[in-house]
Amino acid sequence: MSYSPDAAQQAPTRRDWLGLAVLAVGLGLIVLDGTIVGVALPAIITDIGLTLTDAQWVNSLYAVVLAALLLSTGSLADRWGRRRTFLLGLVIFIAGSVVAATSAAAAPLIGARAVQAVGAALIMPSTLSTVNAVFRGRYRAAAFGVWGAVISGAAAVGPLAGGALTQWASWHWIFLVNVPLGIAVAVAAVFTVKETKGSKPLPGVDVDGALLSAIGFGALVFAVIEGPDLGWWKPDGEFAVFGWAWPHDAAISVVPIAFAVAAVAIVLFIVWERHREKVQRAALLDLRLFSFATFSWGNTTAAMVAIGEFALIFVLPLYLINALGFSVMNAGLVLAAMAIGAFASGAMARHLAARLGAPGTVVLGLGLEVVGALALALFLRPNSAGFVLAVPLVVYGLGLGLASAQLTGTVLRDIPVGVSGQGSATQSTVRQIGSALGTAISGAVLSVALAVTLPAALANAGVSGAQADQVAEATRQSAGTMIPQLRAQGSHSSLGTETAAAVDALAAGFTDATRWAILFAVAFLLLGLVGALLLRRAADRVDARPPESEQHA
């Protein structure tokens, strides 16, 4: 570990622990908002007429903007003061929540989610950097454990909170609830959170790096989300922005162009950051951090964990509510099984880490995540009982809590204290990119799979013709909300006496497509498990080295 002996002896005060609790609640608020929308999406889709692509953007734009800004806001917090940045973020987040709650169409809702993300981008690195500055030595491990457990637990609680608010009040309250909570956190932070700043920064502000990172990550997620509708290569749908439209007869779709823009921007970002390092100017990302194997493999693992988690959180509410016909509250209760597992294992993670080591605990967590998600995919049926689905979700949640609670400290364990602020911001960015890609990839896989499974299921049920094709496409475009609408209409729907057979077929087709989306999530979790094994090997190598005093003796 790279902490000084003096720092290790400084015990946190009572105010420090209270400040940690306030920061944890603030962090939980913005993490919760990344997942609380999922279970309410069917109600929002019906109420204001969202398409599947709109729904993906409502879910993922928050994570896209958050990921694009984290490196910049982390640097701003170090310069301007972390508590001050935290409070500014809360103000912006609350304002975005009010706009989102009062939105009556897709555009203002999506825009409000972007505003919320700007606030969240100011809050998240401020919390981790403050924890990093205030807690040292053995106290730091406990504080990081709280931070990691809040991330996994709040993300898992989101669907239950969203279900309760949507069913007992309305979907507007999933945003309005942020107002009193945000105000309470801001007031408490003024009295409990210390103001800290980073070490004296290098001269200059890395504006070009901020723009390149935002363009690169934004274009990447845009391409993944829009691919199913706009065409992965040839144009399949119309794309228009600010009055300008991509021509229908173009040689290629806008999607591969977006992938190319993302690749070029990310490469240029890396080149630019190397240049800033050479000329001794302030840079958003210190690329030398990746020379630490634990940092590199830890971030890889964190990204895979986030992709898997947010892939599940996006597709499962749609399946539970639309295919199975659950109420939003019942769907939230099923998904709360993840939170039960995450909180239970998050609490025991520190004790397991004492026996297995933090990297070993991460490996165990990823293994449980893979087992839980794979079992869930195998258990999916058009008429599955909630408790049958909850069991593998508890197993998955147990793994999520173990992995998330120990990853934060493991990733930063070998990073020198002087640059740990950048290390913290980098890890937060990686997690958010993973969450954005998880939503985007699962939505893209679901959309592509629905285009195959829905017509096939209808044909097997003997429902065919132009009207059946229209119903299948409407179901795909509406992310499945057509199914409960047909259920409610019964034989009075446009399909007449074939409605019941069509509903059963659409539910079966949606179930098959959901299974494919979950299996893609399992593939990323397997990659995360490989990363966790390599992380443990790297940590063992570092621990096996003799102390520097012995090396120079």
Side-chain angles (χ1 to χ4, degrees):
M1 301 287 281
S2 302
Y3 313 127
S4 67
D6 292 338
Q9 299 303 316
Q10 295 173 358
T13 64
R14 183 169 177 271
R15 180 189 174 190
D16 292 335
W17 289 113
L18 288 173
L20 174 63
V22 172
L23 291 172
V25 174
L27 174 66
L29 196 64
I30 63 172
V31 173
L32 186 73
D33 219 65
T35 60
I36 197 172
V37 173
V39 77
L41 267 182
I44 300 173
I45 290 169
T46 302
D47 193 24
I48 62 178
L50 298 181
T51 65
L52 175 58
T53 301
D54 290 334
Q56 285 175 269
W57 277 113
V58 169
N59 228 15
S60 64
L61 184 64
Y62 181 82
V64 174
V65 175
L66 186 51
L69 296 180
L70 272 172
L71 288 176
S72 303
T73 54
S75 176
L76 175 65
D78 286 344
R79 288 170 175 262
W80 199 41
R82 290 150 184 158
R83 186 181 67 176
R84 185 181 299 175
T85 306
F86 178 75
L87 293 172
L88 174 62
L90 283 171
V91 171
I92 296 173
F93 182 77
I94 292 169
S97 298
V98 172
V99 175
T102 55
S103 297
L109 178 57
I110 292 171
R113 292 290 280 166
V115 174
Q116 283 186 302
V118 172
L122 291 164
I123 292 169
M124 181 171 279
S126 302
T127 62
L128 186 54
S129 295
T130 301
V131 171
N132 196 50
V134 173
F135 294 87
R136 298 293 173 87
R138 61 190 179 92
Y139 303 104
R140 172 178 284 182
F144 277 160
V146 170
W147 198 88
V150 167
I151 281 189
S152 59
V157 164
L160 177 60
L165 290 169
T166 302
Q167 181 159 328
W168 292 335
S170 73
W171 66 263
H172 304 278
W173 277 94
I174 66 175
F175 301 113
L176 282 176
V177 73
N178 294 329
V179 178
L181 290 176
I183 292 172
V185 169
V187 172
V190 170
F191 296 101
T192 62
V193 178
K194 290 180 179 177
E195 181 65 282
T196 62
K197 294 184 179 181
S199 55
K200 187 176 180 181
L202 292 170
V205 178
D206 191 5
V207 176
D208 293 336
L211 291 173
L212 286 170
S213 65
I215 291 169
F217 298 134
L220 175 62
V221 178
F222 166 83
V224 175
I225 289 177
E226 296 289 354
D229 286 320
L230 299 181
W232 295 105
W233 188 253
K234 292 285 187 181
D236 286 341
E238 180 181 347
F239 173 66
V241 59
F242 302 126
W244 173 85
W246 187 265
H248 249 304
D249 57 352
I252 59 173
S253 164
V254 69
V255 171
I257 302 297
F259 274 123
V261 168
V264 170
I266 291 171
V267 169
L268 286 177
F269 172 70
I270 293 171
V271 171
W272 178 252
E273 296 305 287
R274 287 190 181 280
H275 168 73
R276 299 282 294 188
E277 177 189 322
K278 286 180 181 177
V279 298
Q280 292 295 295
R281 304 283 288 177
L284 283 186
L285 179 61
D286 187 345
L287 295 171
R288 292 171 298 179
L289 293 175
F290 290 95
S291 64
F292 294 93
T294 49
F295 185 80
S296 297
W297 288 117
N299 275 304
T300 301
T301 305
M304 297 302 107
V305 169
I307 290 175
E309 178 181 8
F310 280 81
L312 290 178
I313 287 173
F314 179 75
V315 299
L316 282 178
L318 298 175
Y319 160 72
L320 293 170
I321 293 170
N322 295 332
L324 297 187
F326 284 14
S327 68
V328 287
M329 188 58 199
N330 286 340
L333 286 171
V334 171
L335 294 173
M338 279 194 292
I340 293 171
F343 280 125
S345 61
M348 70 174 75
R350 188 160 52 94
H351 303 293
L352 272 175
R355 292 189 173 189
L356 304 177
T361 306
V362 173
V363 170
L364 175 60
L366 261 297
L368 289 172
E369 285 190 57
V370 169
V371 170
L374 188 58
L376 178 65
L378 296 177
F379 288 173
L380 290 187
R381 298 289 185 275
N383 56 355
S384 293
F387 73 88
V388 173
L389 301 175
V391 172
L393 283 175
V394 169
V395 175
Y396 173 83
L398 286 169
L400 179 64
L402 291 177
S404 295
Q406 294 302 309
L407 260 176
T408 303
T410 305
V411 170
L412 299 176
R413 52 166 268 162
D414 298 321
I415 301 299
V417 174
V419 291
S420 59
Q422 275 203 339
S424 303
T426 303
Q427 185 191 182
S428 299
T429 302
V430 166
R431 284 179 185 263
Q432 289 309 308
I433 292 169
S435 65
L437 287 177
T439 298
I441 291 169
S442 63
V445 172
L446 182 66
S447 181
V448 170
L450 287 173
V452 176
T453 60
L454 292 178
L458 287 170
N460 290 337
V463 182
S464 59
Q467 200 167 37
D469 293 339
Q470 290 174 1
V471 168
E473 180 59 19
T475 302
R476 186 186 75 84
Q477 287 285 352
S478 66
T481 56
M482 176 63 72
I483 303 175
Q485 289 175 18
L486 289 174
R487 272 198 198 101
Q489 293 170 3
S491 59
H492 298 293
S493 79
S494 58
L495 293 172
T497 57
E498 292 185 314
T499 302
V503 167
D504 290 342
L506 291 171
F510 202 94
T511 300
D512 290 338
T514 303
R515 182 178 296 107
W516 279 109
I518 293 175
L519 288 174
F520 264 77
V522 171
F524 282 100
L525 291 174
L526 283 170
L527 291 175
L529 179 57
V530 172
L533 290 169
L534 293 170
L535 170 63
R536 185 173 66 175
R537 180 186 298 177
D540 289 343
R541 285 176 180 169
V542 172
D543 292 339
R545 293 175 188 165
E548 286 189 22
S549 58
E550 293 183 21
Q551 292 180 32
H552 296 293

